Amino acid sequence: MNDFRRKTLRSIDEKLTEILDELDSVENAEKDCRDSIPGPLQQGKKYEQADAVCDALHDAIGYVEEAVRCVREAAK
């Protein structure tokens, strides 16, 4: 691999890492919101929606982490 493509992959790695940080921040905020729902209301629709969002964000974080691993492997 030439230097230009390697630099491009490093740039992609940085962007993905920034995205990962942002997703993590949003996930933490959503977890805090979900966890602040009072116990009796945790069987309600709002809690279920917040929980589904947390699950989706967790999955997205995993996919981005895998993309970062692949990009770093390719850049070696």
Side-chain angles (χ1 to χ4, degrees):
M1 176 178 301
N2 68 24
D3 285 341
F4 176 75
R5 286 190 292 271
R6 195 175 318 280
K7 287 178 185 177
T8 301
L9 286 175
R10 280 190 228 123
S11 175
I12 292 169
D13 180 0
E14 290 173 9
K15 291 173 186 174
L16 287 171
T17 300
E18 288 176 24
I19 290 169
L20 192 56
D21 290 343
E22 289 180 42
L23 284 169
D24 190 50
S25 177
V26 172
E27 181 191 31
N28 287 334
E30 189 63 25
K31 282 181 179 179
D32 289 345
C33 181
R34 179 198 63 191
D35 294 344
S36 71
I37 295 173
L41 299 176
Q42 289 183 0
Q43 302 302 317
K45 186 171 184 156
K46 185 175 180 179
Y47 184 88
E48 289 176 9
Q49 289 173 334
D51 199 44
V53 170
C54 289
D55 289 344
L57 289 168
H58 179 79
D59 290 345
I61 289 168
Y63 296 138
V64 176
E65 287 173 338
E66 180 61 22
V68 168
R69 281 191 289 277
C70 292
V71 168
R72 287 178 181 171
E73 181 64 29
K76 286 184 179 179

